[in-house]
Structure formats: structure tokens, C-alpha cells
Amino acid sequence: MGLTSNKVLALAFVCAVLLFVGTVWLWPRLARRNWRAVSGRVGLLLATQLVLFVSVGLGANQAFGFYASWSDLFGRETDQGVVVDHTALRGAGGPLHVVGTRRVDAPGGASLPSSVGQVQRVDIVGRTTHIASPAYVYLPPEYFQPRYRTRTFPATVVLTGYPGTAQALVDKLNYPRTALQLAKDGRMRPMILVMLRPTVAPPRDTECVDVPGGPHTESFFAKDLPDAVTAHYRVGKMPGSWGIVGDSTGGYCALKLAMHHPGVYAAGAGLSPYYKAPTDPTTGDLFQGDETLRNEANLWWYLKHRPAPDTSLLVTSSKAGEHNYKDTLKFIDRVRANNSTRIASIILDSGGHNFNTWRREIPATLEWLSGRLGNG
């Protein structure tokens, strides 16, 4: 049974209840002061608390999508790492291969792609970086309707935080369902969403940096990913057709990619972002002594020392509950001083660094992105 399986969560909960009942039932028999009774009491208490801890952890993982599998949890995931797969680059499938489809959950029970759109599970292999990554692609209903058969659509890359799971963008943050409803309400144009996590070499957190010697994560998101999607789907090829959004680590990546590559991403939105790549045990040595690389990963330095990028940025925070609030206000002021870069914000009165807060910000963010992208 998988880590995110409801059966695992239910089994842990049942075990916790049984251990609690067993502790209450057996406690009188273990009330003596000999070593067996004392050991029994300690064992029951530890077992009950351990199972309760596991149940809470499993529930939190279900809600926030921290880890996708047991191997991901224990740092043994290797099947989504950096590969050089020459076979995958040949043939009709190209750098993007569809491996599954699912309907978009929508009110009313409609299931046809022409009514509710479709989510496709895909594998992508970068032609230049040779990075392999799974992703989910949301295609709006219009993509399947005959009157739009020659139309191209704007596209937005949607990134998780670290470590994150791409599936959480579909099932927990509800990006496809939100985009569908916004388009039906006339608040945004139909848009293709490419949903994945920035962790392309798990368990390492590359912070969307072109690490010397690899992986070249920034190049993957700036070139390989748009090229693969454009080659497979009807996405606009002209500048201004692409946007990017993410939360936490994904938010930092979205801002950096829009600033570094304004010719690719006409708009970038960071939900609860930070503004400088960290260095910690999850990242390792990202820069390997390259000060230019280190500086350019620092958005404060980039705003001061590089020409203002011609792009639009959106940042979010909360007055209470978010640690990036003061930095976000400072970042807004810094960007406003640049004539070529446009800045907007969503500031909540309160909200933590979690899915519930981001779900409150996503509708306005998608609407904002839609207003800044063209069909190309």
C-alpha cells in the first residue's frame, strides 16, 4: 500500500484506536510494581504514542503532499533523476510522452474533454539538459472543441515547493478545476497548465540553478520544457505566450525564471516565495565557487546589478503567519524602482505557509496571469 493510500491512513487510525482501547483495558493488570508490569506499561504507552504520531504524519502528508511514496520519504527515490536517455529522444514520441489521462473533477458530473477539459500525465526528457521529469498537463475544454481546432493557447508552468509532488497541484491545490471554473465565469481565458515539481533530481533541491557539472535545472525550465510542450501541444510560439507560477521554492523559481528569461516567460508569480537560493544539506554546493552563479541566484543582487527585465511579477504574503512578509514588501519597492519590470501583489491579513493559504491566492493569480499572456 502506497504512502498516500487512504487504506494506509485508515489502518494507522484503526491501530491507534485499538492500542488506546487495549491500554485502558490492560492497565489494571499492569498496575503491579514488578519489572514485567512496568515494561508492559511503558511498551503500551510508547506504542500508542508512536501510532498516533504516524497517523498524524500520514494525515498531514495527505493534506499537504510532502512525499509521494515510501521511497521518496526515506530518500531512496531514483527513478525520476537526471538521465541521459538517447532512446527516449528518438521516434515519434519526441521529448514528451503521454502515459495516462484523467478527467477534470467538475460540478455536474460531466466527463467529456470538450466539456471539462482533460489532465494528461506525461514524461518529459530535455533535449539539451537530458533531465527527465514527470508532469501533469491540463488542457482546457476549448482545446477539444472543433471551433478551436486551429487555435493556439497560452501556457503556464506550475511548480510545487520542495520536495512536493506534482499530483498535489492537481488534487490538493486544484489548479485544473480552478482554471476551468474561472474560464467558465469569464475571469480568465482558456489556458494550458504544465504542472510539475522543481525537484528534477530528487532528493536534491537544486533551486532551479544550472549546477556546474549538472543538473542544469534552470536551462531545463527555460528551454527544454517549453520546447517539448510547444512541439506536442497547440501552444503559442510567440513571445508572451508563457507564464510561470509556484509556491515556496517553486515561487522563488518562478520569479527567478521570469527575471532571467523574460523572452520566455512574460509573467511570473511567486506564492509565499523567498528571494535568495539557500545553501543547506538538501541543496549541497549549488555554485561550486562560481560567484557569478551565486549572485544571479540572489534576486536582490540581480535587481541591483542587472538590467531591469521586461516581464511582469506577482508576489504574495500574509501580514500574520508568513515569514517573508517584510522581505516581500522590500522586494516590491525594489522592483517598482525598475521602469521595465512590472510588479503586483496579493497580501492577506493572515495565512500560513500552507495549501489552504495558496488555495485562497490561486484564483486571483491565474486571473492575473491570463491578463498578461497572449495566444501567440
Side-chain angles (χ1 to χ4, degrees):
M1 292 185 288
L3 177 64
T4 59
S5 167
N6 289 329
K7 293 180 180 178
V8 171
L9 182 60
L11 179 62
F13 178 77
V14 169
C15 288
V17 172
L18 290 176
L19 278 170
F20 175 77
V21 172
T23 300
V24 174
W25 182 261
L26 294 174
W27 197 261
R29 301 184 185 182
L30 299 173
R32 299 181 183 88
R33 295 185 178 181
N34 57 59
W35 67 270
R36 289 184 178 179
V38 172
S39 299
R41 294 198 299 271
V42 171
L44 282 173
L45 289 173
L46 287 177
T48 303
Q49 293 196 33
L50 176 62
V51 175
L52 283 172
F53 176 80
V54 169
S55 300
V56 171
L58 288 169
N61 190 63
Q62 285 269 38
F64 298 107
F66 297 123
Y67 300 97
S69 63
W70 296 108
S71 59
D72 190 13
L73 173 65
F74 294 111
R76 296 196 302 267
E77 187 183 64
T78 58
D79 60 332
Q80 297 176 9
V82 179
V83 300
V84 179
D85 188 347
H86 300 288
T87 302
L89 297 175
R90 294 200 305 264
L96 187 150
H97 178 61
V98 179
V99 297
T101 62
R102 55 183 285 187
R103 65 185 288 276
V104 178
D105 294 329
S111 60
L112 292 176
S114 58
S115 298
V116 297
Q118 187 179 78
V119 174
Q120 298 186 348
R121 187 162 55 90
V122 305
D123 287 332
I124 299 170
V125 179
R127 286 192 181 276
T128 64
T129 61
H130 307 303
I131 287 175
S133 178
Y136 290 88
V137 176
Y138 163 70
L139 302 172
E142 291 79 3
Y143 192 90
F144 302 95
Q145 296 170 5
R147 68 178 183 272
Y148 294 104
R149 63 182 178 274
T150 61
R151 176 177 171 178
T152 59
F153 295 83
T156 290
V157 174
V158 184
L159 300 176
T160 70
Y162 174 83
T165 65
Q167 187 173 343
L169 297 169
V170 179
D171 296 333
K172 305 298 183 183
L173 289 177
N174 306 321
Y175 270 96
R177 190 170 65 195
T178 303
L180 174 65
Q181 190 60 52
L182 288 172
K184 284 185 175 181
D185 293 343
R187 293 175 56 188
M188 65 174 278
R189 291 175 299 150
M191 182 190 301
I192 293 173
L193 303 178
V194 185
M195 299 165 282
L196 69 167
R197 61 183 192 169
T199 312
V200 296
R204 189 179 189 185
D205 176 13
T206 62
E207 294 291 323
C208 297
V209 168
D210 276 353
V211 181
H216 290 171
T217 312
E218 182 169 350
S219 294
F220 172 77
F221 285 110
K223 179 171 176 55
D224 285 350
L225 178 63
D227 285 353
V229 173
T230 302
H232 193 89
Y233 298 104
R234 299 197 312 274
V235 178
K237 296 180 173 62
M238 299 298 290
S241 299
W242 282 81
I244 185 167
V245 59
D247 57 75
S248 192
T249 297
Y252 160 76
C253 287
L255 296 177
K256 182 173 70 172
L257 286 161
M259 292 171 66
H260 286 192
H261 306 278
V264 178
Y265 294 110
L271 311 183
S272 307
Y274 46 87
Y275 305 99
K276 176 182 177 182
T279 299
D280 56 35
T282 67
T283 66
D285 186 359
L286 293 175
F287 311 111
Q288 298 180 21
D290 188 330
E291 284 302 313
T292 299
L293 191 62
R294 183 187 303 275
N295 288 334
E296 294 200 343
N298 183 334
L299 302 188
W300 304 111
W301 185 94
Y302 198 86
L303 285 172
K304 184 176 180 180
H305 294 91
R306 292 288 186 258
D310 184 12
T311 190
S312 297
L313 303 177
L314 171 72
V315 291
T316 78
S317 188
S318 303
K319 295 178 182 177
E322 281 279 20
H323 295 297
N324 75 334
Y325 176 60
K326 291 183 179 179
D327 279 346
T328 296
L329 296 183
K330 180 181 174 184
F331 184 78
I332 293 169
D333 289 339
R334 289 278 185 91
V335 176
R336 287 176 62 188
N338 295 324
N339 294 328
S340 298
T341 308
R342 298 158 294 282
I343 185 72
S345 67
I346 299 173
I347 304 296
L348 302 177
D349 287 333
S350 65
H353 199 80
N354 55 52
F355 280 11
N356 183 58
T357 297
W358 299 328
R359 279 191 291 263
R360 296 160 60 196
E361 298 166 343
I362 287 169
T365 299
L366 288 177
E367 186 176 357
W368 176 86
L369 282 165
S370 172
R372 280 145 189 86
L373 304 181
N375 292 335

